[in-house]
């Protein structure tokens, strides 16, 4: 579904990402791990065109998408969440999701201006779809609550709900379990598996919780200082001497 070849991002004398390559199959859940500053979020920014690469190419479903605009990336079916939550905090939970559905709206300016039946029908469809997503995410109870009033873990879920509203084919999750307790992390793990099946998703995620990554992801890549140092199954990564030295350490023993 997605293939990146030798992606590099250089800021003057600093290489944030160097020659990163990946091939992600449809339906796969893949992890991207590494220590802080390894270049993980920069990689996400390159894949979603929020940052332009210095060199390298990106293909999505066989099409070269290198350098196209972020909104075009989203329209093609690649959507993401952020490490630092970026909700519309003064809007309700439902409004946050509804905003994202507008990328798939099926009406024009005139129908909106005149409140034509076609516009009203489409708005009802988008509202119902948003409510369905909130129900799946366990957030239906909070649809009329302002996003800023949700607990942190629920805000994380709302970010995922908003991404789902775009109807992505490939979903990029940047530290989805950050700030969650072990029970919440386990619930999120099961939820991500459910979302993959229900919405026919392919998922690439960044996460520091090693139990979360090792138990969820079929394939894992490891970055260190912007360079890919390992790729494989959870078992292969857990026992890779270079990965243990660079990142996992004793954390691998409990993962």
């Amino acid at each position: 579904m997605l293939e990146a070849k030798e992606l590099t991002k250089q800021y003057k004398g600093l290489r944030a990402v160097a020659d990163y390559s990946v091939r992600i199959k449809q339906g796969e859940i893949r992890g991207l791990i590494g220590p802080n500053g390894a270049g993980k979020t920069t990689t996400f920014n390159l894949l979603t065109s929020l940052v332009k690469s210095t060199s390298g190419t990106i293909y999505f479903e066989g099409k070269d998408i290198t350098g196209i605009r972020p909104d075009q990336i989203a329209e093609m079916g690649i959507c993401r969440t952020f490490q630092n939550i970026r909700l519309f905090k003064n809007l309700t939970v439902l409004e946050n999701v509804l905003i994202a559905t507008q990328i798939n709206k099926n009406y024009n300016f005139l129908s909106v201006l005149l409140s034509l039946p076609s516009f009203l029908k489409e708005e009802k469809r988008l509202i119902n779809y948003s409510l369905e997503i909130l129900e799946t995410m366990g957030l239906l109870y909070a649809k009329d609550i302002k996003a800023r009033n949700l607990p942190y873990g629920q805000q994380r879920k709302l970010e995922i709900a908003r991404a789902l509203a775009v109807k992505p084919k490939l979903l990029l999750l940047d530290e989805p379990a950050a700030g969650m307790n072990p029970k919440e992390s386990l619930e999120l793990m099961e939820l991500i598996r459910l979302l993959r099946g229900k919405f026919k998703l392919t998922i690439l995620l960044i996460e520091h919780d090693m139990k979360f990554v090792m138990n969820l992801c079929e394939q894992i890549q490891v970055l260190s200082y912007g360079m890919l140092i390992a790729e494989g199954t959870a078992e292969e990564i857990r026992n890779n001497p270079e990965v243990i030295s660079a990142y996992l350490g004793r954390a691998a023993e409990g993962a």
Side-chain angles (χ1 to χ4, degrees), residues 11-210:
Y11 296 97
K12 295 185 178 180
L14 172 67
R15 274 193 169 190
V17 175
D19 298 323
Y20 172 77
S21 296
V22 67
R23 294 184 69 184
I24 303 176
K25 298 177 182 178
Q26 185 173 359
E28 181 180 359
I29 299 179
R30 177 178 287 257
L32 182 62
I33 66 172
N36 290 329
K40 303 182 298 297
T41 294
T42 300
T43 299
F44 266 28
N45 290 341
L46 293 173
L47 294 175
T48 54
S49 211
L50 288 180
V51 171
K52 302 300 181 185
S53 60
T54 304
S55 60
T57 52
I58 306 168
Y59 298 92
F60 182 63
E61 296 185 321
K63 181 179 180 180
D64 188 344
I65 62 169
T66 311
I68 72 173
R69 299 193 315 265
D71 61 299
Q72 293 173 318
I73 295 281
E75 287 175 351
M76 292 180 70
I78 302 176
C79 199
R80 65 171 294 179
T81 63
F82 291 87
Q83 182 178 357
N84 299 315
I85 294 174
R86 297 188 183 184
L87 298 172
F88 300 106
K89 294 196 173 183
N90 289 321
L91 297 182
T92 68
V93 166
L94 177 58
E95 288 168 341
N96 267 270
V97 178
L98 269 174
I99 286 174
T101 65
Q102 300 305 306
I103 198 169
N104 295 308
K105 67 182 183 297
N106 187 27
Y107 51 70
N108 55 38
F109 177 74
L110 183 61
S111 65
V112 176
L113 188 64
L114 300 177
S115 291
L116 296 178
S118 58
F119 162 69
L120 298 175
K121 181 179 179 181
E122 182 68 0
E123 277 292 281
K124 184 178 180 180
R125 183 186 71 82
L126 295 178
I127 290 171
N128 288 338
Y129 182 64
S130 298
L131 292 172
E132 178 187 342
I133 291 173
L134 290 177
E135 184 174 21
T136 300
M137 296 299 298
L139 292 172
L140 188 58
Y141 79 95
K143 65 183 179 66
D144 297 319
I145 297 174
K146 288 191 175 181
R148 68 167 183 257
N149 294 327
L150 286 180
Y152 183 82
Q154 299 295 79
Q155 289 189 31
R156 281 277 174 199
K157 285 187 175 182
L158 178 55
E159 265 225 318
I160 297 174
R162 189 175 59 180
L164 290 173
V166 179
K167 295 188 175 180
K169 300 174 184 176
L170 174 63
L171 180 61
L172 279 60
L173 303 175
D174 196 343
E175 298 193 29
M180 292 187 177
N181 61 43
K183 182 176 182 292
E184 289 173 329
S185 293
L186 181 60
E187 290 173 351
L188 179 62
M189 189 189 309
E190 295 305 318
L191 179 60
I192 289 173
R193 290 194 181 106
L194 171 68
L195 296 177
R196 172 174 61 172
K198 181 170 183 175
F199 295 100
K200 297 180 173 59
L201 294 172
T202 302
I203 297 170
L204 174 63
L205 63 89
I206 295 169
E207 188 52 64
H208 284 290
D209 183 334
M210 285 301 97

Side-chain angles (χ1 to χ4, degrees), residues 199-223:
F199 295 100
K200 297 180 173 59
L201 294 172
T202 302
I203 297 170
L204 174 63
L205 63 89
I206 295 169
E207 188 52 64
H208 284 290
D209 183 334
M210 285 301 97
K211 286 187 177 181
F212 188 93
V213 172
M214 297 291 181
N215 289 316
L216 179 63
C217 300
E218 289 113 5
Q219 288 286 315
I220 301 168
Q221 290 184 311
V222 187
L223 287 179

Side-chain angles (χ1 to χ4, degrees), residues 33 210 214 237-240 243-252:
I33 66 172
M210 285 301 97
M214 297 291 181
I237 295 300
R238 185 184 289 114
N239 296 298
N240 185 302
V243 175
I244 293 171
S245 174
Y247 180 50
L248 291 181
R250 290 190 174 274

